[in-house]
Amino acid sequence: MRLLHTSDWHLGRAFHRVNMLDAQSRFIGHLVTTAREREVDAVVVSGDVYDRAVPPLAAVQLFDDALHRLADLGVPTVMISGNHDSARRLGVGAGLIGRAGIHLRTDPAACGTPVVLADAHGDVAFYGLPYLEPALVKDEFGVERAGHETVLAAAMDRVRADLAGRARGTRSVVLAHAFVTGGEASDSERDITVGGVASVPAGVFDGVDYTALGHLHGSQTIAERVRYSGSPLPYSFSEADHRKSMWLVDLGPDGFLSAERIDCPVPRPLARLRGHLEDLLADPELERHTDAWVEATLTDPVRPADPMARLAERFPHTLSLVFAPERPPQAPEVSYARRIAGRSEEQIAEDFVAHVRGAGPDTREQAVLRDAFDAVRADETARETAR
């Protein structure tokens, strides 16, 4: 059986104010063409179909078009909700849509109920694990501690229990939306930290033939049978070095055989340039970035006049301008943005405590801060999904 693994479409999302709907539409066309030309037996979409819980109408129309084109192709599709999606909204009409071969899996309670497809070698069971917000699903899975690893482990226990009751030789595919240890993040993923921990070990998914992951936007291999497809389009300049692609996965009679990367069409390359303004404008080596979307970091000690307009003359698709003036080594001036870069919300709060009283929080206070942030995230998620 041949699978096409994709995720993180983020329909409706812009890139630094550039509308991406046309590019997203081209990707859907590329997906359908690939499925037809490479004789794909099933498409799996591992969450974050939309960019937000209540997507704009144009994004909903594009999703509707994608569903019709996949259904017309006659290739079964299995799709889960991600942390950006409203599971309840995405799952509306799932029963009817399923009759057309598009299987939406958005209910955590159904983790152990697979979509079963068959090929010449027997059945393949597809288990959809939508994004599991620990605070909201811990009672469903009967776990005492609300953490990503505990709820995913409980969900996978249901998967393995169901698989154990099926015919010998049944192969299995799990779709999951999570941050798995060893994965490389980018700036465009929403933080899902709970209890100070965001990631789960890959061993949680032991016992299945292939795990199709979503959430991280870079295509990457955690283990031979555990992979992220990544997003098909870039959504931040931190993805400048990404190769946007999907995985074409072949399952044989005994399980996983191989995986091949299929490149996705992107509207423009990304370029991150750094230096003095005059150097960026004059350097002949930068000519290759003329047609790229550009993020320019200016290191001039004094902010130059009209930098954006001057950069746009040479790089007409400049979208982001950052100032990082060169300072003597002893200079104390460091911007707030640079001080907090790469730090989590909890770490920033702990830094604030240390700043105002001269010492950071102790273990008990750290736990209080983590619980407060977890409660806020769970409340926000509950309010989004209840809309």
Side-chain angles (χ1 to χ4, degrees):
M1 183 171 287
R2 173 164 286 180
L3 320 176
L4 188 59
H5 167 201
T6 178
S7 72
D8 295 274
W9 296 356
H10 288 279
L11 301 181
R13 186 166 185 164
F15 180 78
H16 287 269
R17 300 178 303 281
V18 174
N19 189 310
M20 297 289 276
L21 276 171
D22 285 345
Q24 290 168 341
S25 180
R26 287 195 293 274
F27 161 69
I28 297 299
H30 171 69
L31 170 71
V32 172
T33 298
T34 300
R36 182 179 63 249
E37 293 181 349
R38 299 300 299 268
E39 299 181 335
V40 167
D41 298 301
V43 173
V44 295
V45 186
S46 299
D48 281 353
V49 175
Y50 290 122
D51 188 56
R52 55 182 186 264
V54 184
L57 179 59
V60 177
Q61 290 173 328
L62 180 54
F63 179 58
D64 181 65
D65 177 63
L67 294 183
H68 279 86
R69 296 177 72 176
L70 287 168
D72 289 343
L73 192 62
V75 175
T77 298
V78 184
M79 188 177 297
I80 62 172
S81 50
N83 62 302
H84 279 250
D85 299 308
S86 165
R88 291 175 64 184
R89 287 177 180 272
L90 187 64
V92 168
L96 287 174
I97 296 172
R99 297 179 186 179
I102 310 294
H103 305 279
L104 300 174
R105 290 295 184 263
T106 63
D107 182 2
C111 285
T113 305
V115 176
V116 180
L117 304 177
D119 64 7
H121 305 293
D123 288 344
V124 180
F126 291 78
Y127 297 90
L129 278 56
Y131 172 67
L132 303 174
E133 176 60 42
L136 300 182
V137 302
K138 69 183 185 69
D139 292 339
E140 165 63 34
F141 291 107
V143 298
E144 294 182 3
R145 180 175 170 271
H148 287 296
E149 182 175 352
T150 54
V151 296
L152 267 172
M156 283 301 300
D157 285 343
R158 293 188 183 183
V159 168
R160 284 185 281 265
D162 179 85
L163 192 58
R166 295 188 174 273
R168 183 179 178 85
T170 299
R171 291 151 294 160
S172 54
V173 175
V174 165
L175 291 72
H177 196 87
F179 190 160
V180 176
T181 303
E184 183 177 347
S186 67
D187 293 342
S188 50
E189 298 115 9
R190 183 181 294 170
D191 181 24
I192 59 171
T193 301
V194 172
V197 178
S199 64
V200 299
V204 165
F205 302 104
D206 285 350
V208 297
D209 293 299
Y210 183 71
T211 301
L213 294 173
H215 180 58
L216 299 185
H217 288 185
S219 177
Q220 47 202 299
T221 300
I222 304 301
E224 185 180 48
R225 302 184 182 198
V226 182
R227 299 169 186 259
Y228 282 99
S229 67
S231 62
L233 294 166
Y235 293 113
S236 72
F237 276 102
S238 64
E239 301 172 51
D241 295 329
H242 287 187
R243 173 186 164 193
K244 295 303 181 182
S245 57
M246 304 177 286
W247 286 111
L248 190 70
V249 178
D250 283 330
L251 300 180
D254 298 319
F256 178 85
L257 283 179
S258 64
E260 174 189 350
R261 288 181 73 176
I262 305 294
D263 290 329
C264 295
V266 295
R268 295 182 186 280
L270 307 186
R272 307 183 92 174
L273 311 182
R274 184 182 182 90
H276 288 201
L277 176 61
E278 295 300 333
D279 293 337
L280 298 183
L281 295 177
D283 188 348
E285 291 294 319
L286 302 181
E287 191 64 29
R288 67 185 187 277
H289 300 307
T290 301
D291 292 327
W293 278 325
V294 168
E295 177 188 73
T297 299
L298 299 184
T299 60
D300 302 73
V302 178
R303 184 173 299 199
D306 300 320
M308 192 66 164
R310 295 171 66 190
L311 280 167
E313 289 181 5
R314 183 177 189 191
F315 308 105
H317 305 289
T318 302
L319 299 181
S320 177
L321 185 58
V322 180
F323 293 98
E326 294 174 342
R327 307 279 188 188
Q330 70 276 16
E333 295 86 6
V334 179
S335 72
Y336 178 73
R338 292 179 65 188
R339 289 201 304 273
I340 68 171
R343 300 187 68 73
S344 69
E345 293 173 333
E346 287 88 343
Q347 290 171 325
I348 293 169
E350 292 175 10
D351 291 347
F352 177 77
V353 173
H355 173 73
V356 297
R357 76 178 188 190
D362 59 24
T363 302
R364 182 184 60 82
E365 291 167 333
Q366 288 176 335
V368 170
L369 286 171
R370 281 199 301 271
D371 289 344
F373 278 107
D374 290 349
V376 170
R377 292 193 191 96
D379 182 65
E380 290 176 344
T381 301
R383 278 191 283 177
E384 281 194 352
T385 56
R387 290 182 182 178

